[in-house]
Amino acid sequence: MSVEVATIRGRIFVAFLVMSLITGSLGIYATLGIRQAGDLVQRTYDQSLMSINFARAAAADFAKMRAAFARRPLAADAAQRQKLDDEIAELTTTLLEDLTIAVERSQSDRASRAGIGVQAAVQTWDEIRRGLDAATTAGPAWEALDRQAGIVDGQIDMLVNYTAGDGFTYRQTARTIVAEEIRFYAIATAGALLLSGLVAWLLNRRIIGPVAAASAVAERIAAGRLDDAVPVGGRDELGALLRAMATMRDNIRAMMEREVSQRRSAQALLADALESSREGVVVVDADGRIALANAQAAAYFDAGSGAIACGSPVAGLPGRGADPASAVLDDATSLARDGEIRLADGRWLRVSRSATREGGFVAVCSDISVLKEQEARLTQTNLRLDAALDNMSQGLCLYDADRRLMVVNRRYFEIYGLAPGSLRVGLSATEVIAASIAAGNHPGRSLADLVAEGAEAFGMPHNRLLQELGDGRLVAIETRATAHGGFVATYEDVTERRMAEERIAFMARHDALTELPNRVLLGEHIEAAIAQAGREGGFSVLCLNLDDFKPVNDTLGHTAGDELIRAVAHRLSACVREIDTVARLGGDEFAVVQRGVERPEDVAVLARRIIDVLGAPYTLAEHTVAIGVSIGISLAPGDGMNCEKLLKHADVALDRAKAEARGSFRFFEPEMDARLQARRELERDLREAVAEEAFDLHYQPIYDLSAERVCGFEALLRWRHPKRGFVSPAEFIPLAEELGLIVPLGEWVLRRACLQASRWPDELKVAVNVSAVQFTSARLISAVRDALLAAGLPGRRLELEITESVLVANPGTTTAILHSLKSLGVRVSMDDFGTGYSSLSYLRSFPFDKIKIDQSFVRGLEASDGSGHIVRAVIGLGANLGMTTTAEGVETADQLQRLREEGCDEVQGYLISRPVPAADLPALIRRFNGERRAIA
């Protein structure tokens, strides 16, 4: 045994045996103490605490039973009383189950007796409850029930107190045991730590110290530090190991010294041979890594990147193979073969490879960049020259100083219709011309004429001529002298270019659809007429605009519209003389310049003829249509003596004709220009007002006949001009739509109306009219959403009013927009119902919230023109469709009474109130909604 302890294995065994005994003793004692404490904890929590919880749950159940029984006299019907009885029965069962568990978990007889007492008291309370009359709210029986309930509560409290006392007793016992165990564990742990430290110190002294010394010696030998001293060990295994390591160190040092000496000699010889070589040499081992590379190889591949360093993978070299599929340096496992690579800097190397016995290879690299560059330049030059000649859009002939053909390209054969290869190198210029004559390119012209023409052209250093061939094609020939006395001639077929230029010149001055003169050429004709006005008399300018063309174009399509425009152009051209001019200005607008006008009656005759001719029906490819025309006329020199003024005055007269009576003509009058100026001033003021938001909103109340109160207001736009005063909406709203200002103006109305409505009582809504032009804007939905969010107004309080004209232009798109608005919660009403074309079909395609009866029908209620029947029909239609009906323009009490009798839902008009500013709305709301009273 003494021998075993002296060894390392014996020492480790004794140390671990002692530590195991200490750990086992502590573990056994700890297990017994924890088990005893756990038993006390279990009895404290699982028994006493759980008993308390279930006792309290029983108290809660009893409280619910009393509450349910107290609600029973208040029940409205038998079903509710039965439901409360069922609830009391269920609670009784739950209470008894909770008491049973509480008694089972109790730790003393007194707690068990208290639980049994609670059960008996509860049964007594339930028997008293059953004997009570539910309708009786007071009396001796109820007092007995309350006393018994107090007894139940007392019994439950006694059960809780007994159980809690038991739990406290066990908890105190557990705390005492735990405190004793903690003191013992502290003392035992301190002793175990001291004993463990002693064992560890002895183990470190005898084993770990010598092992660390041996490990340090091994690390120094592995790192090549063969001169460090090796410590002397004892008689155990570690001592023998240190002595063996000292011997091994000496042997390794001797071998390394011999090997280093031999290698230095061989490397010196090899380095001299490699460094003096003009070729790059790279030695690659079997693993594909560079074993050796000379200075020239480093100059090829390294460039300071370290890619050619020994040990680097050969696949990391910057060269790329001439054939991407087989780069010669990127495949270290291939057999020896020759190849070419291109470096990243553009140089080319020829690589000769030979395999080594170890599985690698040696690559010898020679710089062939100059040779490759010369080959590439020559190849590219030849390729470019061949490609240029074969792909030129012009024909080419190159002649030497003796006028003999040296080069001819494919395009020359194509231009002159010659068979490929029919002209050979060495032919004279005269023979080339003769071959062209034989091909039929120059009918009626002799060889002598063409030779003379060519001699004149080719005799100059640089010349151009245009040659017309027999088939009508035009060939542009350009010649240039060469440095060696010859010349080069290029031939280009310019037939299509000339035709395109002529067409472009024509289209620049004519309308593409009708080929009539356009505005540019019309201006030139007017200027020419002005220049000749003194000699040939006066002239007139007629501006024409087709009536009802847009419906034809919209309903039948643009193809039919274009066909109709061409037919109009033909008829209009037939109405005038050759000296007159007919032009198309664009769209459905035309103009006529009538020369030699002596008196206005001459122009009137032409105007009537044009109206009659253009007004006759047109038979198109698939339809028969009829349109009209309106004409405005200006006379020169009386109405002006420049093109711009004459066209302007004719256009002003045209506007007058369209405004007064379509299908007519009007001569320009000076007062027309004054009205035009006034309109332009109004346009300018309107633009400024929109930019500065110089508008206001007035509100007209909407009265609910069933509730006899105001249910909302319609927002009406007002504009008070600083100079003009009040401007009627009927005047500036159409102008805003025409100018495209209605979109920003409508968005301003939406924002202002929603903001002001957010300050009203929550039951009041605001109605805003939406123009048909706004529905063509993609911003409508986002404008409504932004206005609601900015004002914090619910969508249900906003009502958008649209007219049937909105649905006429594009029903499908408009319906989709209306559904998107409905998804925001916004209400949609149809304004001026019955005044359009297809109201009933619109009601079917979209579920409107409201129908507004036009005021023209409301005014006719007191007349015998059938308006009353229409109003009754509309109200009945709205009721059947679940839509609200609102009558506009109510001005008399008789109209209001009639609408009440017909069942109309809402009314608005001067009888209720005129539109008022937002500041007057609070007083108006108090007047109508302050007290419920009917309006007579």
Side-chain angles (χ1 to χ4, degrees), residues 131-144:
L132 284 176
D133 184 5
T136 303
T137 58
W142 280 90
E143 293 176 357

Side-chain angles (χ1 to χ4, degrees), residues 186-244:
I187 296 172
T189 302
L193 289 175
L194 291 175
L195 185 58
S196 298
L198 177 62
V199 172
W201 178 77
L202 293 174
L203 192 63
N204 179 67
R205 181 179 178 184
R206 296 290 186 179
I207 300 175
I208 297 177
V211 170
S215 177
V217 170
E219 289 178 357
R220 290 196 294 272
I221 293 174
R225 294 162 55 185
L226 304 177
D227 296 328
D228 292 350
V230 177
V232 179
R235 293 180 296 173
D236 55 11
E237 296 95 330
L238 288 176
L241 177 62
L242 289 173
R243 290 189 293 274

Side-chain angles (χ1 to χ4, degrees), residues 695-731:
F695 297 92
D696 194 11
L697 290 183
H698 284 202
Y699 296 91
Q700 186 175 35
I702 303 172
Y703 192 80
D704 189 333
L705 292 178
S706 61
E708 298 295 348
R709 60 191 292 121
V710 171
C711 61
F713 295 91
E714 181 180 358
L716 301 173
L717 187 62
R718 295 292 182 263
W719 180 25
R720 186 172 297 278
H721 193 276
K723 296 181 180 179
R724 301 172 186 267
F726 175 75
V727 182
S728 171
E731 182 178 358

Side-chain angles (χ1 to χ4, degrees), residues 85 138 317 337 359 401 409 442 486 672 680 781 789 798 819 832:
D85 292 338
L317 291 181
R337 66 172 181 267
N409 70 346
H442 312 284
M672 294 180 181
R680 288 180 178 173
I781 297 174
L789 290 176
L798 176 61
H819 280 289
D832 301 335

Side-chain angles (χ1 to χ4, degrees), residues 699-703 707-713 761 763-764 908-917 919-936:
Y699 296 91
Q700 186 175 35
I702 303 172
Y703 192 80
E708 298 295 348
R709 60 191 292 121
V710 171
C711 61
F713 295 91
E763 70 274 6
L764 297 182
Q908 66 180 105
Y910 287 176
L911 179 64
I912 310 300
S913 172
R914 291 177 176 271
V916 299
D920 297 343
L921 290 181
L924 191 64
I925 294 173
R926 286 194 299 271
R927 181 164 67 112
F928 284 102
N929 294 1
E931 55 181 289
R932 296 175 62 95
R933 56 187 181 86
I935 294 180

